[in-house]
Every structure is written in structure tokens, then in C-alpha cells.
Amino acid sequence: MPKIVDHEERRREVLSAASTVIVRDGIDAATSRAIAKEAGLSNGVLGHYFTDKDEILLSALRHSHQRIRARITRRVEGLTGLAALREVLLDNLPLDAERDQETRLEISFWSRSLAVERLAAVQRAEAAELRAAVRQLLEQARTAGEIRTDDDLGVVAERLLALVDGLSLRSLLYPDQLGRAELERILITTLEAL
């Protein structure tokens, strides 16, 4: 009797394995062979689910973004303006083990995205979505009188996202200098200054 395989579950296993290899060993080490080995599969099996390594990497990135988006949606349920903005930005910092791994994965893709247009296109689209959400929450906060800045809110959104990216990168590179409490304090202080 032939073995019944849940193809979606197998794809998720491969994506999880790809993420593990990228975070643990770096994106350059995430070869099809290494991903297959991590997933406990033969290299040939990957071809049944993905056309090439870049499709695996692209799918792993999208899968991570979907999980993050779902978590943020739950966190901001019932919140608007500054309270929602605080949650969105804090969720994008590596403040716990799960977000630390997500941040490592995301940052690992940055250099590869500079060389692979398909990955860059996904990064740009996801960044545009986050930027629009931050801009909308800033507008809600301004309308509600929660912030007083007269600066262009698109520029404020870019500054906040650049701060999150910079803090995230620095905290991974220099964990002894920039701990989780300090990350949170810097972000909250920046929001309060608005």
C-alpha cells in the first residue's frame, strides 16, 4: 500500500528546515542538500515541492512573514493609534527567542536579496506593507492627539523602521552591549518623543 504524504505538511517541514539552516549556519550554507538533510529527506525529494534553492529560500521568507503578520494581528486586536504602533514596532525587535530567530532569518536575507531580484521583490513588498501600516497608525495617533509631531508621517515611519532595523542588527551583533531591556527602552523613548 502506498504511503500517504501530506504535501503541505512536507512543504512546511522543508521551510522549517531551511529556516533552521539559515539561522544556524548562514544563508550561504543553506544548500538544497543541507536543507534536505535537516528535514530528514533525500535531496531528490525537494524537487517534488520546489523548483530550486531560491524558491525554497523565497518560500521560507514568505512563511516567516506570514507567521509574523498573524502574530502582530493578534497583538494589536482592539488597539489603535499609538498603542497599536508600539506593539507593531516592539514585535519587530528581537525581544525573545522566537523573534530573535525571525530577526536572524530576516537579516540573513538582506545580502542575498541584493543579488537575487526575486528575493528583493519580496523584501520590498513586505517592507512597503509594514511601512504603510506604520504610517496609518501614526496618522491615527496624530488624529487622536497622541502624538504632536508636525513632520511628514511617511518620513517618521521611515525613521521608526530604520531604528527598528538598526537596533535589531546591533542587538544581534553586540548582545552584551544592547540587551532586550535597552532595546525596548530606546524604542519607547523614541515613541514618547513624538
Side-chain angles (χ1 to χ4, degrees), residues 5-82:
V5 176
D6 181 339
H7 294 289
E8 281 309 306
E9 179 60 28
R10 180 66 53 88
R11 280 181 62 86
R12 284 190 295 273
E13 290 170 3
V14 171
L15 298 179
S16 177
S19 296
T20 298
V21 172
I22 292 166
V23 169
R24 184 186 63 220
D25 304 329
I27 199 160
D28 291 335
T31 62
S32 296
R33 178 167 285 126
I35 293 167
K37 181 178 178 186
E38 183 69 29
L41 303 170
S42 70
N43 198 29
V45 170
L46 296 185
H48 296 293
Y49 301 97
F50 302 95
T51 57
D52 59 17
K53 174 185 162 179
D54 281 335
E55 185 184 353
I56 295 171
L57 297 178
L58 182 63
S59 297
L61 182 63
R62 285 183 170 145
H63 183 69
S64 177
H65 288 170
Q66 289 167 352
R67 284 192 341 269
I68 293 166
R69 195 177 301 111
R71 185 182 61 235
I72 290 174
T73 299
R74 288 189 306 273
R75 287 185 72 158
V76 300
E77 189 174 333
L79 301 177
T80 59
L82 194 56

Side-chain angles (χ1 to χ4, degrees), residues 66-137:
Q66 289 167 352
R67 284 192 341 269
I68 293 166
R69 195 177 301 111
R71 185 182 61 235
I72 290 174
T73 299
R74 288 189 306 273
R75 287 185 72 158
V76 300
E77 189 174 333
L79 301 177
T80 59
L82 194 56
L85 178 61
R86 184 180 301 114
E87 291 301 316
V88 167
L89 295 176
L90 285 172
D91 196 83
N92 277 276
L93 288 173
L95 297 175
D96 57 32
E98 178 182 20
R99 290 178 286 173
D100 183 90
Q101 295 301 302
E102 291 166 350
T103 301
R104 289 176 186 281
L105 180 71
E106 186 72 27
I107 290 173
S108 294
F109 274 94
W110 289 355
S111 63
R112 184 141 177 102
S113 293
L114 294 174
V116 179
E117 182 54 35
R118 288 188 332 182
L119 291 174
V122 170
Q123 291 282 45
R124 289 183 195 117
E126 298 288 338
E129 184 179 312
L130 180 58
R131 187 180 322 102
V134 168
R135 168 100 179 47
Q136 180 183 14
L137 293 172

Side-chain angles (χ1 to χ4, degrees), residues 107-176:
I107 290 173
S108 294
F109 274 94
W110 289 355
S111 63
R112 184 141 177 102
S113 293
L114 294 174
V116 179
E117 182 54 35
R118 288 188 332 182
L119 291 174
V122 170
Q123 291 282 45
R124 289 183 195 117
E126 298 288 338
E129 184 179 312
L130 180 58
R131 187 180 322 102
V134 168
R135 168 100 179 47
Q136 180 183 14
L137 293 172
L138 284 165
E139 185 64 47
Q140 288 176 4
R142 181 185 273 172
T143 300
E146 297 172 330
I147 61 172
R148 295 179 304 278
T149 183
D150 291 326
D151 291 348
D152 176 271
L153 294 182
V155 173
V156 174
E158 287 296 340
R159 282 196 318 247
L160 290 171
L161 292 170
L163 176 65
V164 167
D165 286 347
L167 287 174
S168 296
L169 180 59
R170 292 186 62 77
S171 74
L172 295 180
L173 289 174
Y174 314 111
D176 295 337

